[in-house]
Amino acid sequence: MRNTIVLVRADNFQKASVALADLVRYGGMKIRGDPRIIPPALSEWVFEKVSGEKPRRKFKAHVVAQIDLPPRKAIGRLMDIHPPAHVLVVPPDSEAWEELMRLWGGTFEKLRGGFHPPKRTKAEEIERKRKKREDEDLDL
């Protein structure tokens, strides 16, 4: 399966990391592998290819990460949360996705400091277990 990619454009890398953590915590997404830093010119090209318009604003931090959800589901979840950055979903069947994957391994630097998924609070863990039990009950 080809992983969907998210492009995170932010004012700084700390905000980009917070946005990725929000995708995990509030969006229920799983980041696969290490997020990578990409050049601003490539970020703007990807933005244009996916959205069909030129970026209106310049950002200083440009990060891409692979996630475990199909594009449609990822977009739906993004609409429910408000990360502190501009996040764009890059579908696996796009020219931009192909180019990002071609450059992924050797060209892009890993996100500084790495990405560490947020720890769940006790209340969040209890809620997650409750929902899991409800889903299992529905399957019976």
Side-chain angles (χ1 to χ4, degrees):
M1 181 181 130
R2 300 170 117 196
N3 294 324
T4 301
I5 294 176
V6 289
L7 168 64
V8 179
R9 299 161 20 104
D11 295 327
N12 57 53
F13 289 105
Q14 183 179 2
K15 285 184 179 181
S17 291
V18 170
L20 289 171
D22 285 355
L23 296 180
V24 172
R25 177 174 271 171
Y26 303 114
M29 300 177 199
K30 181 178 179 190
I31 305 291
R32 296 188 171 248
D34 294 316
R36 306 291 174 132
I37 298 170
I38 66 171
L42 179 60
S43 173
E44 290 180 8
W45 179 82
V46 169
F47 182 89
E48 285 182 40
K49 286 292 181 186
V50 174
S51 72
E53 55 188 58
K54 289 197 176 282
R56 294 186 203 130
R57 184 167 173 227
K58 299 281 185 192
F59 290 96
K60 294 180 181 171
H62 305 270
V63 177
V64 289
Q66 296 183 43
I67 59 171
D68 66 338
L69 294 176
R72 185 177 298 230
K73 194 174 263 190
I75 291 168
R77 291 190 184 177
L78 261 176
M79 293 171 75
D80 293 339
I81 62 175
H82 302 286
H86 182 257
V87 180
L88 184 73
V89 176
V90 181
D93 59 352
S94 67
E95 178 185 357
W97 187 93
E98 294 288 343
E99 185 65 14
L100 288 171
M101 290 310 294
R102 187 178 71 75
L103 298 169
W104 193 275
T107 308
F108 301 148
E109 175 187 347
K110 290 182 181 179
L111 183 60
R112 294 180 194 106
F115 172 72
H116 306 286
K119 293 180 180 170
R120 288 193 169 100
T121 63
K122 196 153 194 98
E124 289 172 328
E125 191 63 32
I126 290 168
E127 179 66 17
R128 186 185 66 80
K129 286 179 182 177
R130 185 187 63 75
K131 282 185 178 180
K132 186 176 178 182
R133 268 185 267 134
E134 286 177 1
D135 289 345
E136 288 172 356
D137 291 345
L138 291 175
D139 289 341
L140 295 177

